[in-house]
């Protein structure tokens, strides 16, 4: 800002985090600590932000210090006053209308009113999500509103971003470098060394652009400093992503907003798979399909011979195997603090309930013969076995609903999930109503349905089949 460089937030030795503000005067080569008013950001590192040329507003957005943050702040350097511009502690990890909490993302100001952020790490720090992430957002300060941009570049952390020189008010932002692979990533299309990603903030579209070189290109790197000049961008330092060596070289990317559009275009990332995606798919097929419909078969079709019992076992065993593998992958995909957020905590409860069911079935006391009193052990077993299964399925459906938002699934994906969930609920409600004698009789008059005898319970029918199965096994 003018002749002054501003520095705020960051991490020091011994995991000490800062939120103080310092000002460096480039004319006198002196530092001053700035005394500020208002509400500053809490101490953190890995935030994004910046200042637009000619503006006095310094943006600081998101970051990490024990937990990942959602908030965005502005420091007006003309008055040295902080103001909170978004969230104020009301955000949560499952909202699709603003960025999830993160750190190690890149950011750049578009103008005095707009800030762009890209990627970062959403996992750990009392939350879960992609790490690296490939989502990008624009924040409009005057409206205090975030807008998500279409995906294009590979997911990454520690990337660099800067505004290109403008031509006739046309703005373009360059995204470069970053770490694209870590333990959560299974397969990705890495960005070539000669390629940058360019954002048109007005049309809100990303395109990849292939750069040229008179000699060689910079080594692929992360956490480099990148800054605007009158005729291009300067790039300094960073860590070589191939050798992990620290760099202190300086490179210059010549160009402006017009020449960026004229550069040869590349393709957006065609392939990206991580453990979080596989975790979600396995949990959908495990809990959302197999275990849900296995429960459905046992509850509503237990009068149809013995086929239902075989299908029930197949669905339940398959569902538990798929969901257990998905559970392990879910743990692998989270960096740390695995169960310190709602989705993770509910997930471990659901899995413990699910795994307990086979052991519960093995300890099943036999139902007494007709006319005998049901022992207390049998009544306790029925209470636990049937209700634990129902609670586990209900919690699993809730947790999958949270997961589609936590994983930054596209609108079409979570819309399809909720359509499916509504269908499941309606089917269960319909068949539950049919268990009421009066409703069943009325529906039988309309639909081709068999009459039903009451009050024989499903539990009794399941036990009769189980006894028959046990007897046959004993004879064999």
């Amino acid at each position: 800002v003018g002749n002054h460089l501003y520095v705020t937030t960051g991490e020091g030795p011994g995991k000490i985090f800062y939120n103080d503000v310092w000002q460096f005067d480039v004319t006198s080569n002196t530092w001053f600590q700035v005394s500020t008013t208002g509400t500053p950001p809490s101490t953190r590192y890995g935030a994004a932000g910046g200042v637009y040329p000619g503006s006095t507003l310094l943006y600081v957005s998101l970051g990490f210090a024990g937990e990942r943050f959602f908030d965005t702040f502005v420091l007006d350097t003309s008055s040295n006053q902080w103001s909170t511009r978004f969230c104020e502690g009301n955000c949560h990890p499952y909202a699709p209308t603003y960025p999830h909490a993160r750190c190690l993302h890149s950011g750049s100001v578009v103008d005095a009113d707009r800030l762009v952020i890209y990627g970062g790490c959403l996992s750990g720090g009392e939350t879960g999500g992609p790490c690296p992430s490939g989502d990008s957002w624009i924040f409009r300060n005057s409206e205090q509103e975030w807008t998500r941009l279409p995906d294009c570049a590979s997911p990454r952390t520690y990337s660099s971003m800067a505004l290109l020189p403008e031509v006739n008010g046309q703005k373009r932002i360059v995204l470069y470098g970053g770490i694209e692979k870590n333990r959560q990533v299974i397969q990705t299309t890495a960005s070539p060394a000669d390629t940058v990603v360019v954002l048109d903030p007005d049309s809100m579209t990303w395109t990849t652009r292939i750069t040229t070189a008179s000699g060689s290109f910079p080594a692929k790197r992360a956490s480099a400093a990148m800054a605007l000049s009158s005729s291009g961008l300067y790039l300094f330092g960073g860590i070589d992503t191939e050798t992990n060596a620290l760099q202190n070289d300086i490179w210059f990317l010549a160009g402006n907003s017009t020449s960026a559009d004229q550069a040869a275009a590349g393709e957006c990332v065609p392939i990206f798979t991580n453990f979080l995606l596989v975790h979600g798919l396995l949990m959908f097929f495990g809990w959302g399909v197999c275990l849900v419909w296995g429960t459905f078969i046992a509850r509503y079709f237990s009068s149809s011979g013995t086929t239902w019992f075989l299908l029930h076992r197949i669905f339940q065993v398959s569902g538990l195997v798929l969901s257990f593998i998905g559970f392990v992958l879910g743990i692998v995909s989270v960096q740390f603090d695995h169960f310190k957020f709602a989705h993770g905590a509910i997930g471990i409860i659901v899995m413990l309930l699910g795994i307990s069911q086979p052991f519960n079935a093995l300890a099943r006391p036999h139902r007494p013969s007709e006319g005998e009193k049901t022992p207390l052990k049998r009544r306790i077993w029925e209470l636990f076995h049937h209700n634990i299964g129902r609670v586990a399925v209900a919690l699993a459906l809730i947790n999958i609903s949270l997961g589609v938002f936590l994983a930054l699934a596209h609108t079409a994906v979570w819309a399809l999930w909720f359509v499916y969930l509504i269908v499941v609920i309606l089917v269960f409600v319909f068949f539950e109503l049919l268990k009421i004698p009066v409703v069943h009789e009325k529906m039988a008059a309309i639909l081709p349905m068999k009459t039903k005898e009451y009050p024989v319970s499903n539990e009794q029918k399941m036990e009769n089949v189980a006894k028959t199965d046990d007897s046959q096994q004993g004879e064999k």
Side-chain angles (χ1 to χ4, degrees), residues 356-369:
S356 72
Q357 287 296 77
F359 297 100
N360 197 347
L362 290 174
R364 178 184 75 249
H366 288 294
R367 178 180 289 278
S369 301

Side-chain angles (χ1 to χ4, degrees), residues 316-329:
Q316 302 307 90
V317 172
S318 300
L320 280 176
V321 171
L322 290 174
S323 58
F324 182 77
I325 297 172
F327 179 73
V328 172
L329 293 182

Side-chain angles (χ1 to χ4, degrees), residues 110 114 116 138 149 171-173 199-205:
V110 178
R114 291 182 292 174
V116 176
I138 284 186
L149 307 174
K171 303 175 187 298
R172 297 290 184 269
I173 291 175
L199 172 68
D200 179 345
D202 296 318
S203 66
M204 296 189 179
T205 54

Side-chain angles (χ1 to χ4, degrees), residues 145-194:
E145 181 179 82
W146 286 98
T147 301
R148 185 170 176 178
L149 307 174
D151 296 341
C152 181
S154 60
R156 57 190 79 182
T157 55
Y158 294 102
S159 56
S160 304
M161 192 186 292
L163 182 69
L164 281 168
E166 300 175 21
V167 177
N168 299 324
Q170 175 180 282
K171 303 175 187 298
R172 297 290 184 269
I173 291 175
V174 167
L175 172 70
Y176 171 80
I179 295 176
E180 299 166 285
K181 298 179 181 178
N182 64 9
R183 73 179 190 184
Q184 192 187 91
V185 177
I186 298 175
Q187 187 177 16
T188 188
T189 303
S191 176
D194 63 348

Side-chain angles (χ1 to χ4, degrees), residues 8-32:
T8 186
T9 70
E11 179 186 0
K15 295 292 182 180
I16 298 175
F17 302 108
Y18 299 102
N19 67 346
D20 50 349
V21 180
W22 288 80
Q23 180 193 83
F24 180 71
D25 189 326
V26 299
T27 58
S28 62
N29 292 338
T30 51
W31 285 100
F32 299 94

